[in-house]
Amino acid sequence: MAGVRQIAITGVTAGLCLPLALFAIILVPIPGLPAASGFWIPAGFYFVMTLWFGVWGALGGHIATVLAMGYFSGYTLQVWADGGLGDLIAPLVALAIFKAMGARPTLERKKDKVAWIVAVPIASLVCGLWVHTVNLLFGVITWPFWWIGVVTYLVGDSLAVFIVGTPLLKALTNYVKQSPMYIWRD
Amino acid sequence: MRTFFLHVEEKSPLLRAHPALKILALLVVNLLAWILEAPIFLLALLTALLISYRAFGIPLSRMARFLVFAGLIAQAVMVSYLLGSKIPGRVTYLVLPWGSYVTDMTLLYSLTMILRFVSMLVGSTLILAVMRDVDIVYGLKSFGLPYSLSFAFSLAFRLSSLFLEDFKMVKDAMLLRGAKLDKGGILERARNYSRMGVPLTVIAVRRMNELSYVLEAKGFASSRKRSYLYEFKWNSLGICAALFLVGLVALALLLRLSTDLVTFPGWPLV
């Protein structure tokens, strides 16, 4: 059940990621794909928020993505199931990999760095597979474009998460550790 | 009256509908467009939705901004099907070197997919035109979602404008320190802007802590029984409308699973 801390995490993460998502769509649009961006800036933030604060950070990213994508392409079931759910799944996959590997978001030990390098592409791949399978199911793309979509998604999303997320984890994890909402206890 | 993203006249009967009915209608419109695959049925659905704008007093001109998005989706669908599909038809117009081909059915199928998305867009916009933020919160709660989640949703709206202010403040501070945010190509600029992430995240984490203390101090707890400012009651018309909408989805599903009527190319082309 959600307590006040969880509500604060979800609401603030969504509030932070929403303008960044709108900004990403305007700054690096992908011609032909409405509400898509070649550099999904908010991903870097909600990946990090999920690694720090758990599922509720991912939920904040999900709300932000649905609202921002919907603003540019209409609030339809397809947009919700597509990017919205995909962006909920991706950070959760990264969190699961960190838990499974016993890594920490401080990125201090070799194990943490390996987990980060492994988790981001895997999470982006899972998200890419989800997003383009939904696109396929809704009839927006065909099989040959499914592959192109998945590969470009994997590269584009991983790049954004590494560029935006890595400095955040390195610079701020020790600061965030002081927060009672931080989920990792050594 | 100001709704989710529009100003609509208060006389629209949809405005007074139960929030749960509005959310149900939003789901049904999208599900119907997804289940139906026959162009004639999708065309009928789209026509019915366009007529509904008139019937419910929603100005169709409000759809204008979405025409651009519909156009973008349409061209993405056309490119994907013209270059990457193998749908057999009576006439083959073009065979591409990588094995895919364009037939009369390719064109019909891609138009059907465009009709599907446009129906979702037109239908969702119709419902969202009469939906207020109160409807979203109370509607989600009516469907059994915890109030705390609905509250987080409305917080996202309120906080996004605050973060836009923070974004401007951090940007000005970085420019004053000599940062060149708009230097380089698109990716380089994106990287420059992403450096604003650290101060923005510090602000976000502080805000999270403060917000949780404030909510706790105000006695906001999901486990407690709470009272609500608004009370929405179901009337007989609302119940009939809800049953009709659920019945429509059930009928469409039944037809999809047991006949070829609504499966592409569907009636009357079967």
Side-chain angles (χ1 to χ4, degrees), chain A residues 58-69:
Chain A
L59 190 64
H62 169 66
I63 293 173
T65 304
V66 173
L67 294 177
M69 284 184 73

Side-chain angles (χ1 to χ4, degrees), chain A residues 137-163:
Chain A
L137 281 174
F138 276 86
V140 175
I141 56 165
T142 52
W143 269 113
F145 282 83
W146 183 83
W147 284 108
I148 298 167
V150 170
V151 172
T152 49
Y153 197 102
L154 167 67
V155 175
D157 219 40
S158 300
L159 206 66
V161 177
F162 279 132
I163 292 173

Side-chain angles (χ1 to χ4, degrees), chain B residues 133-189:
Chain B
D133 54 354
V134 170
D135 290 326
I136 295 170
V137 173
Y138 282 77
L140 292 174
K141 197 182 75 64
S142 305
F143 277 98
L145 234 78
Y147 178 76
S148 46
L149 271 184
S150 313
F151 181 73
F153 196 83
S154 71
L155 260 184
F157 275 111
R158 286 154 204 233
L159 290 178
S160 62
S161 54
L162 274 180
F163 276 111
L164 268 178
E165 288 299 314
D166 296 336
F167 179 81
K168 283 178 198 158
M169 188 180 68
V170 171
K171 187 181 171 188
D172 287 346
M174 287 180 77
L175 289 175
L176 279 170
R177 285 178 173 86
K180 290 186 171 63
L181 297 173
D182 290 318
K183 195 181 149 194
I186 289 175
L187 267 178
E188 181 64 27
R189 268 187 288 159

Side-chain angles (χ1 to χ4, degrees), chain B residues 103-139:
Chain B
T103 67
D104 52 340
M105 283 295 153
T106 313
L107 297 179
L108 186 62
Y109 193 76
S110 46
L111 282 174
T112 307
M113 293 302 109
I114 293 168
L115 267 178
R116 172 184 279 174
F117 190 81
V118 172
S119 299
M120 285 184 183
L121 194 61
V122 170
S124 299
T125 309
L126 170 73
I127 310 298
L128 287 168
V130 291
M131 202 176 282
R132 300 157 296 168
D133 54 354
V134 170
D135 290 326
I136 295 170
V137 173
Y138 282 77

